[in-house]
Structure formats: structure tokens, C-alpha cells
Amino acid sequence: MEPPLPLFDEEPARPLADRLRPTRLNEVVGQDHLLAPDAPLGRMVAQRRLSSAILWGPPGVGKTTIARLLARAGDLAFEPVSATFSGVADLRKVFAAAQRRRGIGQGTLLFVDEIHRFNRAQQDSFLPYVEDGTITLIGAATENPSFELNGALLSRTQVLVLKRLDEATLSTLLDRAERLTGHRLPLDDDARRALTAMADGDGRHLLNMAEQLQALPDHETALDTAALAHHVQRRAPLYDKAQEGHYNLISALHKSMRGSDPDAAL
């Protein structure tokens, strides 16, 4: 059972989503199919034998948090890089540091955010270090790894799919936010349900909206759904023109039209 959150907010200057970031794997919500004791990551942690993996899922579902906590659970040095800002020269520095650590008996977990943005040559640079165990590679991808990563890298990693957060999980995050800050969100029951729907499975976006609401002046009455829509914006559907988001949305449109549902199609 997880310990209670503090009754007051010790670092109010940090974004709420960061302050609520789990500090243990059993605090991560919505991904039990990967983290339960009999699930892939749960078994790895129990056996203290982490394998390289690609965490594939939409934004705001816990990819970075899980990678950081896996490193802690495995007593590994955590090396985060972003494919958006890093190149081969940066990776060489990480590999050299990992080799030095290996010489004194410490392992390294290399977390690569947006790994699908690396080109093929950059992806190839991981191969010898993953294969000989110098690093445990955990990549985060919002695009289908089968389309974006080369076969050699995929053959050396497991692809683990993270789920969008459901309504019950999002409600748990709201409860944690209220406990941490000591303030209940100024929403009636219908508006609270509407807020979780507006997040569209993205926990980070939900907490950002909650932070906006907690910054509002005190109201004598709770906000209803219409007032909620006035204060926060609905999350735009994921659309990437030519990749997976495009085909997911066009598939939803086709299914709505086949079902003769004009509202859903619109």
C-alpha cells in the first residue's frame, strides 16, 4: 500500500505533474499489464534482470517515469537523452561513461526519449553496446516502432505497449493532486467527469488542466460543465498528417460513417 502524500505542498513552484511524479513503481497507475508482479516489467524487476525495451504509447502515460524507476529498482545509473536534441557525439560520451561504470561493476540504463526520431545510422550506434550489455536501453516512442526503428535494433529489444489512461485512472490522479495541494477542484460531479474526458487519456494534460483550475479565484459554487469549458481547453486529437495518428483518425471516420453516425463522423 502506497504511503499517504504530504498534507501540504513542499515545492509549489514546480509544475503539478512533476510534483506528482511517482517515486516507486507500485505508485504508477494505468499500466498494470506491464508492471504487475506477473507482467513483463514486474518479472524483470523481481529478478533484477532488466532487458532493453521500447516503451510505445501516447503522451502522458508514464514512459519517462517508468524508465527512471526501472533504473532505481535495478540500481543502475540513469542516463537520459532526447533524440530531438542529441546526436552521435552525445551518445559516444554516454557510451564511454557507461563503459567506465561497467569497469567498476555498475550498470547503466540509457533512456532515449522520442527514440523514433533518430535516423538509421544513429540507431545503429546503439547496437554493440546493447548487445554486449554495456547499457540497458529503454526507448520511448509515440510512433509505431515497427515503422520507425530498424530491424537490428528491434531484434535486440522488446516492444512494450503502454495504454491510454482510463477514466478511473485519471480520477485517481485528480485525487492525488487534491491531496497533495490540500485543495479540492472547484467542480461539480458532471464537470469532474468532463475534465477527465477532456484529457483524452493523457495524465500530464489532465494535471496541467487541474493546476489551471486550482489557480482560479475561490467560487461560492462549484463550476458546471459549461463553466469548465470556458476555463480550460479540450485536448486536440493526435494528428500527424502522414503517420499513425492520421490512419487512426481516418479509421475512426470510416467506422462512424459505416455505422451511420453523423455526429461521430463530424
Side-chain angles (χ1 to χ4, degrees):
M1 182 175 180
E2 65 183 59
L5 291 166
L7 297 179
F8 60 92
D9 201 345
E10 297 176 338
E11 298 182 83
R14 289 168 55 206
L16 179 61
D18 191 50
R19 283 177 274 153
L20 275 175
R21 194 181 291 274
T23 57
R24 298 184 304 175
L25 280 169
N26 64 1
E27 295 174 359
V28 176
V29 292
Q31 309 301 339
D32 288 347
H33 65 292
L34 296 179
L35 296 171
D38 59 346
L41 290 178
R43 289 194 297 270
M44 288 185 201
V45 170
Q47 297 168 3
R48 298 180 67 83
R49 293 177 60 88
L50 292 180
S51 300
S52 293
I54 306 298
L55 304 180
W56 174 30
V61 296
K63 297 186 292 295
T64 302
T65 295
I66 288 173
R68 191 179 297 274
L69 296 178
L70 286 174
R72 182 179 299 178
D75 291 327
L76 302 174
F78 183 71
E79 285 274 10
V81 299
S82 170
T84 306
F85 301 109
S86 303
V88 172
D90 302 298
L91 294 176
R92 287 191 184 122
K93 294 177 183 177
V94 173
F95 298 147
Q99 287 176 319
R100 289 193 295 272
R101 291 191 197 97
R102 190 180 188 187
I104 59 173
Q106 184 179 21
T108 300
L109 187 149
L110 172 58
F111 173 66
V112 184
D113 196 18
E114 305 289 337
I115 192 172
H116 56 279
R117 296 187 184 276
F118 274 142
N119 61 37
R120 302 284 170 164
Q122 291 169 320
Q123 293 176 29
D124 285 342
S125 69
F126 294 110
L127 301 179
Y129 302 99
V130 171
E131 191 155 348
D132 71 5
T134 300
I135 61 169
T136 298
L137 174 65
I138 302 293
T142 53
E143 303 293 343
N144 190 331
S146 298
F147 299 156
E148 304 295 336
L149 301 184
N150 65 38
L153 187 57
L154 287 173
S155 74
R156 291 163 173 80
T157 58
Q158 299 183 59
V159 176
L160 303 175
V161 181
L162 279 75
K163 298 178 180 179
R164 287 185 179 276
L165 304 185
D166 59 22
E167 184 176 345
T169 301
L170 293 171
S171 294
T172 297
L173 292 181
L174 288 182
D175 292 341
R176 289 184 180 181
E178 290 173 332
R179 288 166 54 201
L180 178 68
T181 61
H183 298 289
R184 184 165 176 80
L185 291 173
L187 303 171
D188 65 21
D189 291 342
D190 289 339
R192 193 179 181 92
R193 285 190 290 270
L195 183 68
T196 59
M198 292 167 73
D200 192 24
D202 184 331
R204 185 187 302 110
H205 185 59
L206 176 75
L207 294 173
N208 288 342
M209 291 191 293
E211 193 165 25
Q212 292 178 47
L213 292 170
Q214 289 188 333
L216 294 175
D218 291 338
H219 292 268
E220 292 184 3
T221 59
L223 302 177
D224 60 15
T225 303
L228 170 66
H230 174 73
H231 288 291
V232 298
Q233 295 295 311
R234 178 180 295 273
R235 182 178 184 271
L238 179 64
Y239 184 71
D240 48 24
K241 288 177 94 172
Q243 300 186 48
E244 184 131 336
H246 168 82
Y247 295 105
N248 287 340
L249 285 180
I250 200 69
S251 175
L253 172 62
H254 290 167
K255 288 179 173 66
S256 301
M257 294 175 69
R258 286 201 300 269
S260 301
D261 189 338
D263 291 334
L266 288 171

